[in-house]
């Protein structure tokens, strides 16, 4: 391939032109089936474009079924066309901030999340079938017998040292080197994000977020009187760094709140090079990053993706996480690594809730110290990979022509684009009448975009769920006219 720079065209993104050029070379036989194509880094040097641009081009070619990634080997010309549904394109929200008002819509959806008479295809709750319930229950009972009244007292912030030691060890998997003293235990990741936002923002400030994003993040912003600036996001590589740079140059962004590893609902996972570039960009503009890594351990392809915090040398990243998505949501155990915002977060935690419940902290610390967490994770990740595949096949068989669905490499959520004529809020109401819950797309946007999108939960799989998706497909056919 030539070393010349690809010419730019104002109406065409650079990565699209690069993808078109590679596609032409494949069609011409320059690269044949099963042959390796240039690595991301080599092509970046040859074409004098960024690594991010090459990655976007390769993701586009993967989506078209022209190439495929092989773990620790690189990219190869595909010897078979992808048989699944296409993925949605990168999102394109409006480039200006807005006040958030989603609470009413979210509560409408959540009221049905625990109705046992409904087939739950929507709420992003891990399956009780894979909880480590027996071990956690027996550990709790042992602690009560062993410690008695000590389990009922306050465990003042920053929280149980034993638990913070275990979290610091666990963080090594994400590339992070923490001291237990760097960590503050919180009541779930929601409190961690709330503390982070309150530490770095004031009412009326603008926070850059992915689009779409988890509606709990939108509720955090709404409760604190903050404005949301939605940034275009790709279903594979995450937030668009070009769009973020434009936003930082033209808007008074006070902070960014991103989920780089398996965003909810997209399932996107930002490559390590992009995380480095993201951090460099935020350092340039002196903007803090609140990183939600709640699903980082739920990868089922390749290696555990690093947290952006692992590249942070200035304390700019405030890392938030919890055990709610991978182990036990009911314990409400999260943590925050506040970096240079430590003093403010410590003060806010004390004034907000004083302490996090003691007994769950002691139970979790002992469970992690016992070494069972890694085995448990391997089991649930195998289940998630199977269930994602099964749910995707069911959607392909049942949903109408024009449907698109994400292909995540971790987590247990699918983001589904329906034909343009389908209103997901109307679909939500019709599905309820048929005994099914889903989550409509507008709850994932401050501007209530994504009206023809839905999120599906594939944490568990069963014949009733397969039948529910088939039933949902028939309802969509009716609504699409």
């Amino acid at each position: 391939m030539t070393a010349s720079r690809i010419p730019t065209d104002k109406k065409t993104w650079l990565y699209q032109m690069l993808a078109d050029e590679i596609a032409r070379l494949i069609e011409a036989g320059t690269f044949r089936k099963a042959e390796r194509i240039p690595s991301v880094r080599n092509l970046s040097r040859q074409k004098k474009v960024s690594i991010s641009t090459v990655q976007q081009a390769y993701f586009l070619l993967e989506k078209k079924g022209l190439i495929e990634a092989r773990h620790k080997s690189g990219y190869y010309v595909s010897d078979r066309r992808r048989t699944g549904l296409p993925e949605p394109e990168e999102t394109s929200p409006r480039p200006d901030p807005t006040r958030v008002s989603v609470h009413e819509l979210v509560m409408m959806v959540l009221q049905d999340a625990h109705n046992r008479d409904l087939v739950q295809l929507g709420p992003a709750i891990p399956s009780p079938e894979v909880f480590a319930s027996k071990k956690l229950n027996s550990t709790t009972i042992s602690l009560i017998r062993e410690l008695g009244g000590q389990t009922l007292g306050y465990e003042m912030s920053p929280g149980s040292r034993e638990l913070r030691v275990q979290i610091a060890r666990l963080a090594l998997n994400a590339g992070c080197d923490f001291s237990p003293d760097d960590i503050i235990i919180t009541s779930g990741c929601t409190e961690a994000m709330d503390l982070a936002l309150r530490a770095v923002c004031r009412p009326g400030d603008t926070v850059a977020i992915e689009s779409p994003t988890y509606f709990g993040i939108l509720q955090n912003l709404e409760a604190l009187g903050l404005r949301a600036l939605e940034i275009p996001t790709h279903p594979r590589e995450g937030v668009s760094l070009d769009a973020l740079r434009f936003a930082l140059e033209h808007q008074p962004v006070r902070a960014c709140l991103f989920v780089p590893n398996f965003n909810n609902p997209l399932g996107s996972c930002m490559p390590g090079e992009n995380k480095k570039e993201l951090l460099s960009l935020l350092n340039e503009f002196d903007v803090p990053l609140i990183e939600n890594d709640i699903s980082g351990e739920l990868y089922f392809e390749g290696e555990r993706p690093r947290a952006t915090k692992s590249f942070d040398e200035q304390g700019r990243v405030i890392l938030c996480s919890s055990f709610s998505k991978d182990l036990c949501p009911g314990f409400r155990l999260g943590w925050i690594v506040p970096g240079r915002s430590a003093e403010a977060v410590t003060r806010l935690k004390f004034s907000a809730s004083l302490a996090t419940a003691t007994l769950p902290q002691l139970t979790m610390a002992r469970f992690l110290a016992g070494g069972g967490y890694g085995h448990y994770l391997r089991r649930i990740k195998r289940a998630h990979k199977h269930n994602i595949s099964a749910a995707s096949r069911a959607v392909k068989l049942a949903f109408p022509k024009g449907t698109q669905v994400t292909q995540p490499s971790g987590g247990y959520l699918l983001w589904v684009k329906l034909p343009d004529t389908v209103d997901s809020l109307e679909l939500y109401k019709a599905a309820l009448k048929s005994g099914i819950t889903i989550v409509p797309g507008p709850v994932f946007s401050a501007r209530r975009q994504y009206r023809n999108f839905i999120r599906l939960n594939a944490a568990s799989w069963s014949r009733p769920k397969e039948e529910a998706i088939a039933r949902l497909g028939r309802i969509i056919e009716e609504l699409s006219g």
Side-chain angles (χ1 to χ4, degrees), residues 245-252 285:
R245 172 174 286 279
F246 181 87
L248 294 172
E249 290 173 343
H250 294 85
Q251 298 289 348
F285 286 88

Side-chain angles (χ1 to χ4, degrees), residues 88 91 211-212 233-235 262-268 406-408 413 415:
T91 60
S211 183
T233 306
H234 191 279
F262 312 122
N263 156 292
N264 174 357
L266 272 180
S268 57
T406 51
Q407 300 168 21
L413 302 172
W415 180 241

Side-chain angles (χ1 to χ4, degrees), residues 453-467:
F453 287 77
I454 61 173
R455 188 192 71 187
L456 298 177
N457 177 13
S460 64
W461 190 246
S462 62
R463 174 55 71 86
K465 288 199 170 183
E466 185 173 7
E467 293 172 346

Side-chain angles (χ1 to χ4, degrees), residues 295-309:
S295 296
E297 292 288 348
L298 296 181
Y299 64 99
F300 48 71
E301 291 182 7
E303 300 177 348
R304 203 279 195 208
R306 293 182 63 166
T308 311
K309 181 68 176 176

Side-chain angles (χ1 to χ4, degrees), residues 317-363:
V317 180
I318 304 175
L319 180 66
C320 304
S321 192
S322 83
F323 295 106
S324 295
K325 298 302 182 188
D326 58 16
L327 192 54
C328 50
F331 267 35
R332 303 308 302 139
L333 278 180
W335 62 92
I336 183 171
V337 182
R340 64 189 189 185
S341 300
E343 182 178 349
V345 169
T346 299
R347 172 175 48 80
L348 289 165
K349 168 63 181 176
F350 188 84
S351 64
S353 58
L354 189 67
T356 301
T358 300
L359 184 55
Q361 292 189 65
L362 299 178
T363 298

